[in-house]
Amino acid sequence: MDIHWYPGHMAKTRRIIKENLRLVDVVLEIVDARAPKSTHIPDIRDLIGSKKLLVVMNKADLADEEITGRWASFFAENGMDSLSVDSRRRIGFKKLNELVKELSGKIKRPIRGIVLGVPNVGKSSFINQIAGRKGAKTGNKPGITRGKMWLKAGDKFELLDTPGILWPKIEEEAVGLKLAFLGCIKEELLNVEEISLKLIGFLMRRFPETLAARYGVKSGENPPAILEQIAQNRGFMAAGGKADTFRAAKTLLKEFQEGKLGRISLEEPGEEGGFWEGL
């Protein structure tokens, strides 16, 4: 899976980050708790230099809680601060408040942070919770945020939001698949049915009961047959009475992204290949 996506606004975002790093005290990288490694910006250290980094595992309510805990331990073992949050219900923000309080004891002015992350990891929802108001536009499509925006988050904290960024080329197929599953890559750049078949393959191997429970499909079938079953069971029919597998594929991906298939993590610390081999 060879994905190229580096539009002009992403190059501009990198310039904005570098131009404003001197103004900030801490970098908050938002990742999706279901895939903290794959949604992590691989060259972030080159991007931010020696600035303090806090990894925020957002959408923790959609991930396996035990695996998220193991990711927190993994980050700690590698000398990185992290926290897991549910931005929709404002859960898990206590650690961030503690960090701000700790930094504010050393800096007299308000603490300034910059928020980074790939598209669709929930940066705007996170910022809205911090700011306590609808200060940043939110949406479920990658790339909705544009330009530069400072937001006050109380008397002691200010945040700089940035548009989502990706690295110039996604070379690892497993990483590309997980980004596609999570909606981080524009749908227009993907073969939606092909991606949905990959997701079905993953779920069949790791969480086969979720497909049966959500869509009433029979176990033991191959991914194309299951996608067709989903279309039939949902009443998605195309011309000529054929199953509308494209609509079924879009529905599957959307419902997975929204957590309607359950709390599913796509990767674990130290995982090499594993269930992603052969997909």
Side-chain angles (χ1 to χ4, degrees):
M1 185 177 185
D2 195 12
I3 298 173
H4 296 261
W5 184 27
Y6 202 57
H9 81 268
M10 290 192 179
K12 181 181 178 182
T13 295
R14 287 179 175 262
R15 291 196 298 272
I16 291 173
I17 291 167
K18 289 184 176 294
E19 290 168 2
N20 289 281
L21 274 173
R22 60 185 178 81
L23 303 176
V24 304
D25 308 298
V26 59
V27 175
L28 289 80
E29 184 191 15
I30 314 299
V31 300
D32 192 309
R34 293 168 290 183
K37 180 180 178 182
S38 294
T39 55
H40 167 66
I41 302 167
D43 64 344
I44 192 167
R45 270 300 168 196
D46 293 335
L47 196 60
I48 70 172
S50 60
K51 290 291 181 179
K52 184 175 181 61
L53 175 65
L54 175 65
V55 178
V56 180
M57 292 183 282
N58 197 21
K59 305 186 181 182
D61 54 310
L62 306 182
D64 182 290
E65 189 173 10
E66 188 271 333
I67 293 176
T68 300
R70 285 164 52 196
W71 276 112
S73 299
F74 171 84
F75 288 127
E77 290 165 4
N78 286 274
M80 301 168 68
D81 290 318
S82 72
L83 68 152
S84 58
V85 302
D86 170 3
S87 292
R88 295 185 299 178
R89 295 180 291 177
R90 196 177 173 80
I91 295 174
F93 285 75
K94 183 178 179 181
K95 187 172 181 178
L96 178 61
N97 294 333
E98 292 173 352
L99 174 65
V100 172
K101 185 176 181 180
E102 177 186 334
L103 290 173
S104 65
K106 305 173 184 177
I107 302 172
K108 301 305 179 183
R109 58 168 172 74
I111 304 303
R112 295 175 185 146
I114 188 170
V115 181
L116 308 183
V118 303
N120 216 41
V121 291
K123 296 189 307 299
S124 294
S125 297
F126 172 80
I127 289 172
N128 286 343
Q129 285 291 2
I130 293 294
R133 59 187 176 84
K134 297 295 182 182
K137 293 181 180 179
T138 60
N140 59 3
K141 292 185 181 297
I144 192 172
T145 311
R146 291 291 185 271
K148 180 174 68 172
M149 181 163 33
W150 281 98
L151 293 173
K152 289 185 66 67
D155 296 331
K156 297 183 179 181
F157 200 27
E158 295 177 352
L159 285 176
L160 175 62
D161 185 23
T162 60
I165 58 174
L166 284 175
W167 42 105
K169 184 179 179 182
I170 302 169
E171 296 179 334
E172 292 185 40
E173 182 176 15
V175 171
L177 285 174
K178 285 177 267 191
L179 289 171
F181 294 165
L182 296 171
C184 300
I185 300 171
K186 286 185 176 180
E187 192 175 279
E188 294 85 350
L189 299 173
L190 303 171
N191 182 320
V192 174
E193 289 195 50
E194 179 185 344
I195 295 300
S196 73
L197 293 176
K198 296 288 189 180
L199 177 56
I200 289 172
F202 169 76
L203 294 171
M204 287 173 62
R205 298 168 75 175
R206 290 293 300 269
F207 309 95
E209 70 285 351
T210 63
L211 289 168
R214 181 72 184 174
Y215 302 108
V217 299
K218 298 176 182 177
S219 60
E221 299 284 358
N222 59 28
I226 286 181
L227 184 61
E228 188 167 339
Q229 284 183 37
I230 292 173
Q232 293 171 344
N233 293 349
R234 285 292 180 92
F236 299 157
M237 306 306 292
K242 293 184 178 180
D244 189 344
T245 52
F246 178 73
R247 186 178 175 190
K250 292 190 67 171
T251 297
L252 172 66
L253 290 170
K254 181 175 184 291
E255 293 189 350
F256 172 78
Q257 292 162 16
E258 293 173 347
K260 292 181 179 178
L261 277 70
R263 299 183 66 158
I264 296 175
S265 292
L266 294 175
E267 58 191 18
E268 304 177 17
E271 183 180 57
E272 295 293 339
F275 287 98
W276 296 97
E277 292 178 351
L279 282 182

